[in-house]
Amino acid sequence: MEGTTDLVDFEGNLFKEVKLTNEGLSIGGISVGKSGGVYVTLDNLDQGFRFNASLSKLESTSPEKLIFKRKRAPKNGVLWKNNNSETIAAKTCIDKGKVIITINRIDDEALLAMILMERIHHARSLLMANTAFL
């Protein structure tokens, strides 16, 4: 899965462009890829994020150590809850080879990139496991 796609808001206005590669993604000034077998933000390791191996926990690399834990939600959705009681919802819809990912608006570009990477990883697994969608 390589190429570019547009990230749009609910009105269809262009929000950001996302570049997908086999190794990860780039959005704005942030790149996400694998390091040590897990997805991490590659540009600024002091202010970035790192997933655990199962992509169920997202931890900031900043001194504050903000931690988000993934909770499953209905219909291919997830809720990311952090230790400051913030919640971010994300959902993946796959229909006839078309993938639509919805995520709450996030101002932190690195956090947005990481949550988007988890949803792309999830969609990629679903598409590979069930070729009926293609």
Side-chain angles (χ1 to χ4, degrees):
M1 285 172 86
E2 289 192 11
T4 59
T5 188
D6 293 334
L7 198 57
V8 296
D9 62 18
F10 284 112
E11 286 86 39
N13 300 315
L14 180 63
F15 179 60
K16 294 201 183 276
E17 185 178 83
V18 179
K19 181 180 178 188
L20 299 172
T21 67
N22 288 330
E23 292 80 37
L25 65 82
S26 296
I27 181 171
I30 303 294
S31 294
V32 175
K34 284 199 173 181
S35 175
V38 295
Y39 287 112
V40 298
T41 51
L42 300 172
D43 303 304
N44 186 348
L45 298 177
D46 295 329
Q47 296 295 321
F49 288 92
R50 167 181 218 86
F51 273 116
N52 64 352
S54 64
L55 285 95
S56 62
K57 186 169 115 179
L58 180 59
E59 186 175 326
S60 72
T61 56
S62 66
E64 297 88 42
K65 290 288 182 207
L66 187 62
I67 298 171
F68 286 85
K69 292 186 179 176
R70 183 182 66 196
K71 306 285 183 195
R72 299 260 182 225
K75 299 183 180 183
N76 283 327
V78 293
L79 297 174
W80 289 95
K81 296 183 180 245
N82 74 10
N83 47 351
N84 292 338
S85 52
E86 178 184 6
T87 300
I88 300 168
K91 185 176 178 180
T92 305
C93 297
I94 300 174
D95 185 31
K96 299 176 186 162
K98 182 177 170 183
V99 177
I100 299 172
I101 297 172
T102 54
I103 301 174
N104 288 7
R105 180 83 179 230
I106 304 170
D107 292 328
D108 184 327
E109 206 169 57
L111 181 59
L112 173 63
M114 291 298 281
I115 291 177
L116 186 58
M117 186 72 246
E118 185 273 337
R119 290 287 79 200
I120 290 169
H121 182 87
H122 175 74
R124 191 180 289 166
S125 300
L126 288 175
L127 287 170
M128 286 183 203
N130 191 351
T131 55
F133 286 117
L134 297 176

